[in-house]
Amino acid sequence: MKELFGKLADGTEIHRWSLENGGTRIKVLSYGGIVQTLEIPDAKGTYANVSLGFDTIEEYVASSPYFGALIGRYGNRLGEGRFVLDGETYQLSVNDGDNSLHGGAGGFDKVVWEVEPFEKGSDVGLCLSYTSVDGEMGYPGTLDVKVTYTLTERGEWRIDYEATTDRATVVNLTSHVYWNLAGEGSGSVHDHELEIAAGRYTPVDSGLIPTGELAEVEGTPFDFRRAKAIGADVRAADEQLLHAKGFDHNWVLDKGGTTEPEPVATLRDPASGRALTVATTEPGMQFYSGNFLDGTLVGTSGRAYRQGDAVCLETQAFPDSPNKPAFPSTVLRPGQVYHSTTVHSFGM
Ligand code: BGC
């Protein structure tokens, strides 16, 4: 179903699509490709909206910390908002201190996507497309982006990203859903248990830019190889946690960088029994523990979001890769196709 959600200040109409399949319900906006709500049942069949979001387009435009949005051209941070490619330096839009975060001030979360619904066999979905012009937010090349949201008959939410360019550029697309499996607005997720199949992570400096090191998680708060409550170590006096006010780091996925999506993380709410498994083709995943939610934003439940009320699991290339030659490359050249897939499965 398609309906008018609201209008931007310049009169542009923003639409909302509602989809349902295999027990999962999702509402998607043409603005930012935003997942406004995502509802799944618990063991008793009671539905909850497990994704943080707003009721109005005005709130998304004014103050959203990327709730549910598509992120591009480059997920997470590029140090000093700058990179060198083929001997040329590109200065990007800077929107996080000296750094460029999630594509800059006018990233893919703030553009209007063309949306086409589809049905394919037992799947239903939306095809979102956007052309980012050469030089947008400082990035070289005209980038044609296609993102497909599919709800499968098993209730999985699958995202397929594709992009092509007419000049060498860098690309790192992701999705910024804030998960609370007890239901958005229900409080802290510190009791949720998280498992991440990663023996290493990328430590950051005080500006949250990776130092370039791949550090072992063994013996640190970053060890989620066995399911562990998010709150168990989030207050540890660890320099890395203090930099970010909690977890806000990229995990180096053990199976990372595959052609078919591999399961890499599971989030579980013991109270409701709802669980989310993330499978991806990407080499990394940013686990962000909602550290900067500060009680000033009110969500669709009518309740305010406070620190630790949700987590993001952003499958991605490593932050700042264009400035870290040892990290997997994020360069896309004319004639190549950027592909990335992430599948979210829900269960008990
Ligand atoms: C980043 C955080 C940032 C948040 C959005 C996350 O992906 O890692 O540092 O604050 O997005 O507000």
Side-chain angles (χ1 to χ4, degrees):
M1 184 182 78
K2 176 184 176 185
E3 64 198 312
L4 183 65
F5 181 65
K7 287 185 185 170
L8 300 183
D10 69 0
T12 306
E13 292 191 342
I14 301 302
H15 291 99
R16 177 171 72 177
W17 278 259
S18 306
L19 303 178
E20 177 165 4
N21 203 10
T24 300
R25 304 171 183 156
I26 188 170
K27 290 191 175 160
V28 176
L29 310 182
S30 52
Y31 182 79
I34 288 170
V35 172
Q36 187 207 9
T37 63
L38 193 152
E39 295 176 78
I40 51 171
D42 66 9
K44 294 186 205 113
T46 308
Y47 273 83
N49 170 22
V50 295
S51 165
L52 273 54
F54 291 125
D55 271 332
T56 66
I57 188 63
E58 287 77 16
E59 290 162 286
Y60 279 109
V61 172
S63 56
S64 179
Y66 308 93
F67 285 156
L70 285 174
I71 303 294
R73 292 189 187 190
Y74 200 99
N76 212 274
R77 291 174 179 78
L78 285 166
E80 296 179 359
R82 196 184 300 142
F83 68 95
V84 179
L85 178 58
D86 298 339
E88 240 183 276
T89 301
Y90 295 96
Q91 179 60 54
L92 308 170
S93 156
V94 162
N95 59 339
D96 180 67
D98 289 340
N99 304 321
S100 187
L101 174 65
H102 295 330
F108 290 177
D109 58 297
K110 293 184 187 67
V111 305
V112 180
W113 293 73
E114 214 163 286
V115 183
E116 281 297 326
F118 69 86
E119 281 183 32
K120 203 170 133 197
S122 53
D123 294 343
V124 300
L126 299 172
C127 197
L128 298 97
S129 44
Y130 176 69
T131 298
S132 174
V133 297
D134 184 24
E136 193 171 291
M137 296 299 116
Y139 289 90
T142 303
L143 193 75
D144 276 310
V145 187
K146 228 167 80 182
V147 179
T148 309
Y149 288 165
T150 305
L151 283 189
T152 71
E153 64 179 332
R154 288 188 297 280
E156 296 149 330
W157 172 40
R158 175 183 172 118
I159 315 177
D160 291 282
Y161 306 84
E162 231 181 76
T164 54
T165 184
D166 61 0
R167 268 174 76 193
T169 192
V170 296
V171 189
N172 179 26
L173 307 180
T174 191
S175 158
H176 212 294
V177 170
Y178 283 69
W179 302 100
N180 183 327
L181 298 179
E184 60 78 38
S186 68
S188 165
V189 295
H190 285 178
D191 289 342
H192 282 34
E193 289 163 2
L194 178 65
E195 184 177 338
I196 309 175
R200 292 175 299 171
Y201 77 106
T202 52
V204 292
D205 65 19
S206 58
L208 305 186
I209 301 296
T211 59
E213 186 196 350
L214 305 184
E216 300 287 330
V217 298
E218 175 94 48
T220 76
F222 294 82
D223 194 346
F224 282 89
R225 289 173 298 176
R226 284 193 185 170
K228 177 172 80 169
I230 288 167
D233 289 332
V234 76
R235 289 185 174 77
D238 177 287
E239 191 191 23
Q240 284 297 314
L241 292 175
L242 298 179
H243 281 331
K245 297 188 164 69
F247 295 104
D248 190 359
H249 296 77
N250 170 68
W251 268 253
V252 177
L253 301 170
D254 290 341
K255 285 190 183 158
T258 50
T259 41
E260 289 304 315
E262 291 283 349
V264 296
T266 299
L267 181 69
R268 194 171 168 277
D269 170 34
S272 67
R274 293 192 192 93
L276 157 70
T277 295
V278 178
T280 189
T281 56
E282 285 298 308
M285 188 184 78
Q286 187 84 10
F287 159 39
Y288 168 56
S289 55
N291 315 330
F292 303 114
L293 297 172
D294 61 2
T296 58
L297 301 175
V298 175
T300 46
S301 56
R303 286 185 289 273
Y305 298 140
R306 297 169 62 90
Q307 189 178 45
D309 278 3
V311 299
C312 301
L313 301 172
E314 303 152 66
T315 52
Q316 59 179 12
F318 303 172
D320 204 34
S321 296
N323 297 312
K324 299 284 186 310
F327 285 0
S329 172
T330 53
V331 175
L332 182 71
R333 296 186 182 279
Q336 298 178 329
V337 183
Y338 168 94
H339 282 290
S340 173
T341 297
T342 294
V343 183
H344 305 84
S345 329
F346 306 102
M348 298 303 142

